[in-house]
Amino acid sequence: MFRKVLIANRGEIALRINRACQELGVATVAIFSEADRDSLHVRQADEAFCVGPGPAGRSYLNIPNIISTALITRCDAIHPGYGFLAENARFAEICSDHGLTFIGPKPSVIALMGDKATAKRVVSEAGVATTPGSDVLASPEEAQSVARSIGYPVLLKATAGGGGRGMRVVRDAAEMQRAYAGATAEAEASFKDGRLYIEKLIVAPRHIEVQVLGDDFGNLVHLGERDCSVQKPSHQKVIEETPAPNLPARARTALHDMALRASRYVGYTNAGTLEFLVAGDEVYFMEMNTRIQVEHPVTEMVYNIDLVKEQIRIAAGESLGYAQRDLAARGHAIECRINAEDPQNHFAPAAGMVSKVVFPGGPGIRVDTHLYAGATIPPYYDSMVAKVVAFGDTREVAIARMERALRETLIEGVSTTVGLCLDILSTPEFRDGRYDIELLLKEPTPR
Ligand code: MV4
């Protein structure tokens, strides 16, 4: 096992990684920006070092400063969390060039999956169904010709994308030229890579993902699925749950089998998530995320497994120690993401001082947060401030606990998505477990 790990992140996930390390008897080094001096991860880690000013480009993305901090403090490994450098293959390579273990998959696999068009091609070689469409496109004319053969409406997507940036719906051939130019420009600006591919637009699908864990000895398991269909038009996930409600047994088996088959084919190690679109009984692979995800706690609750500890154990060269048949999910878990956002400003991320905070507790409730009374939320980073997770033997119990927990939650000083989550939980679509990605897309945000 490692002696010391550098946590290359901030916020709740930095605390989460610190907890896993503490329980494993691994010492921790936190890094922080000048805007995060008073953050909890700085206090809770064994050591902490400032790596630059507030803007992430100069601190949490500052590779030379992060690597030198790890070397000076004699760390063995770096945990990247999610966001920032988590899916940067070059960073993973630089870590290993400096004798530091990157806690995640191999750099070559990160790079393979980071190219969404290549990922689809490789995964389909493994016999996994992918959304009908093209490989990388050379021109809008080629896009029109592919679209004619698969049928409109189609989606233009950025090869370097993921999370919906550089994505355009195209309803007919006449729209293609403009949409193509817009999508390329956006992808070029966001990723310095304007390459696009095309997919048939799946109408009103569910967005379901499968968690996998693989070790360096060829052991690979899935840990079930998470339904992440409740997303804002901005592709921000709001509520996730496991198991996916009302999922036909055939579709569930297909999801799990495809996840294992694709992961095995690319030699996947550590924790990963395969994203699928599900329409009725049809299941299509969309992309793979080569990191721990925000919503990992719901999986931890039903499998009674600490995924972050597993990531660290695997990276340290330990074997999984269990097989698929040893794993069983029990009960139901739901996560609500609490974001600080300004309803006066189109729900843009809100910065400011949090004057009062009360988080819920009691049976079946877990809260992952870095907030405390008196904390300031800097303007530079993601607006998520807490995750409230509810567990129950049944979905109904989990929902009742979540509603009770959200009503106990008090955050003063900034506006949050607590009310939005309560509104969604009360809709008939959510209560019946019969919702898809359109739940938050059709009508303007309730309340
Ligand atoms: C799609 C899709 C329908 N058809 N692809 C891709 C990135 C992810 N964040 C959303 N993605 C989607 N890809 C095809 N071929 C639907 C989504 C989608 C979505 C699209 C617009 C607004 C919200 C969405 C929420 C989940 C999934």
Side-chain angles (χ1 to χ4, degrees):
M1 183 44 65
F2 304 123
R3 286 183 25 252
K4 206 192 262 191
V5 168
L6 182 138
I7 302 166
N9 217 299
R10 64 179 302 280
E12 68 86 18
I13 195 65
L15 296 180
R16 174 72 191 82
I17 297 162
N18 191 61
R19 286 175 174 143
C21 290
Q22 300 290 343
E23 290 181 19
L24 288 167
V26 175
T28 54
V29 175
I31 59 165
F32 61 97
S33 72
E34 286 167 14
D36 276 340
R37 272 186 197 291
D38 296 325
S39 291
L40 280 188
H41 75 283
V42 174
R43 276 172 197 254
Q44 293 188 3
D46 296 308
E47 300 170 65
F49 293 87
C50 184
V51 290
R58 302 179 61 191
S59 48
Y60 298 105
L61 294 171
N62 187 330
I63 295 177
N65 285 6
I66 294 169
I67 296 285
S68 45
T69 303
L71 294 175
I72 291 165
T73 55
R74 306 176 63 99
C75 284
D76 310 300
I78 298 188
H79 197 307
Y82 52 69
F84 298 126
L85 297 167
E87 292 178 283
N88 184 325
R90 184 79 194 108
F91 176 66
E93 226 160 49
I94 292 169
C95 287
S96 90
D97 289 347
H98 288 83
L100 297 159
T101 302
F102 176 84
I103 301 176
K106 296 183 282 284
S108 59
V109 175
I110 299 174
L112 177 77
M113 290 304 175
D115 184 314
K116 306 299 170 186
T118 306
K120 279 183 68 185
R121 174 158 39 79
V122 169
V123 158
S124 70
E125 279 167 27
V128 169
T130 59
T131 319
S134 74
D135 208 315
V136 176
L137 296 163
S139 66
E141 290 71 30
E142 188 189 355
Q144 280 169 328
S145 125
V146 176
R148 199 173 326 115
S149 70
I150 60 177
Y152 287 94
V154 295
L155 263 179
L156 286 171
K157 293 186 173 185
T159 309
R165 264 187 305 174
M167 209 165 94
R168 291 283 189 290
V169 177
V170 188
R171 309 228 159 252
D172 56 55
E175 282 182 14
M176 185 62 81
Q177 208 82 30
R178 258 181 77 97
Y180 194 97
T184 306
E186 193 175 316
E188 186 65 45
S190 301
F191 316 113
K192 301 191 189 80
D193 179 352
R195 290 175 307 144
L196 304 177
Y197 63 106
I198 203 169
E199 280 185 356
K200 178 140 192 70
L201 178 76
I202 310 294
V203 178
R206 303 172 68 176
H207 191 269
I208 302 184
E209 59 188 28
V210 179
Q211 177 73 55
V212 296
L213 272 181
D215 67 16
D216 291 334
F217 308 97
N219 302 302
L220 185 85
V221 296
H222 74 76
L223 293 117
E225 77 283 353
R226 297 183 285 257
D227 194 324
C228 304
S229 301
V230 184
Q231 297 189 21
K232 291 191 177 178
S234 58
H235 303 286
Q236 256 185 332
K237 294 173 183 170
V238 182
I239 300 182
E240 304 98 345
E241 63 177 316
T242 186
N246 299 305
L247 184 66
R250 284 218 315 274
R252 174 171 285 117
T253 307
L255 278 167
H256 298 172
D257 288 351
M258 286 181 187
L260 289 177
R261 190 186 296 212
S263 304
R264 200 168 282 125
Y265 188 76
V266 300
Y268 199 84
T269 53
N270 216 281
T273 298
L274 298 98
E275 296 189 347
F276 296 86
L277 290 175
V278 178
D281 269 3
E282 304 292 340
V283 173
Y284 305 107
F285 169 87
M286 196 165 46
E287 49 191 77
M288 181 168 194
N289 303 319
T290 56
R291 59 169 191 274
I292 191 75
Q293 297 212 188
V294 171
E295 58 270 28
H296 76 274
V298 293
T299 301
E300 296 189 319
M301 303 284 262
V302 301
Y303 279 90
N304 193 29
I305 277 185
D306 184 324
L307 285 170
V308 179
K309 267 193 203 169
E310 293 305 282
Q311 285 192 290
I312 298 167
R313 282 205 315 109
I314 290 165
E318 293 185 19
S319 79
L320 230 42
Y322 43 85
Q324 193 67 54
R325 65 178 169 279
D326 302 318
L327 295 172
R330 186 194 139 243
H332 197 97
I334 305 176
E335 171 179 280
C336 286
R337 297 192 189 192
I338 311 304
N339 288 67
E341 51 178 42
D342 185 357
Q344 247 80 64
N345 183 24
H346 310 285
F347 300 94
M353 217 258 275
V354 178
S355 47
K356 279 188 190 165
V357 191
V358 178
F359 280 114
I365 296 297
R366 163 178 170 180
V367 180
D368 282 20
T369 183
H370 58 289
L371 270 201
Y372 60 90
T376 50
I377 302 171
Y380 307 109
Y381 316 111
D382 187 88
S383 63
M384 194 181 72
V385 294
K387 308 188 296 202
V388 176
V389 185
F391 174 85
D393 284 338
T394 64
R395 185 168 187 268
E396 289 65 37
V397 171
I399 292 175
R401 282 182 169 156
M402 180 63 85
E403 290 187 308
R404 182 273 290 170
L406 292 177
R407 286 193 295 259
E408 286 177 12
T409 304
L410 175 85
I411 301 174
E412 284 184 5
V414 294
S415 302
T416 71
T417 49
V418 169
L420 170 67
C421 289
L422 279 167
D423 286 347
I424 297 167
L425 292 172
S426 72
T427 61
E429 291 91 339
F430 190 86
R431 290 206 105 71
D432 295 348
R434 301 196 184 278
Y435 60 90
D436 54 48
I437 65 161
E438 312 240 305
L439 185 66
L440 283 189
L441 304 185
K442 337 188 234 254
E443 57 219 294
T445 332
R447 132 172 346 190

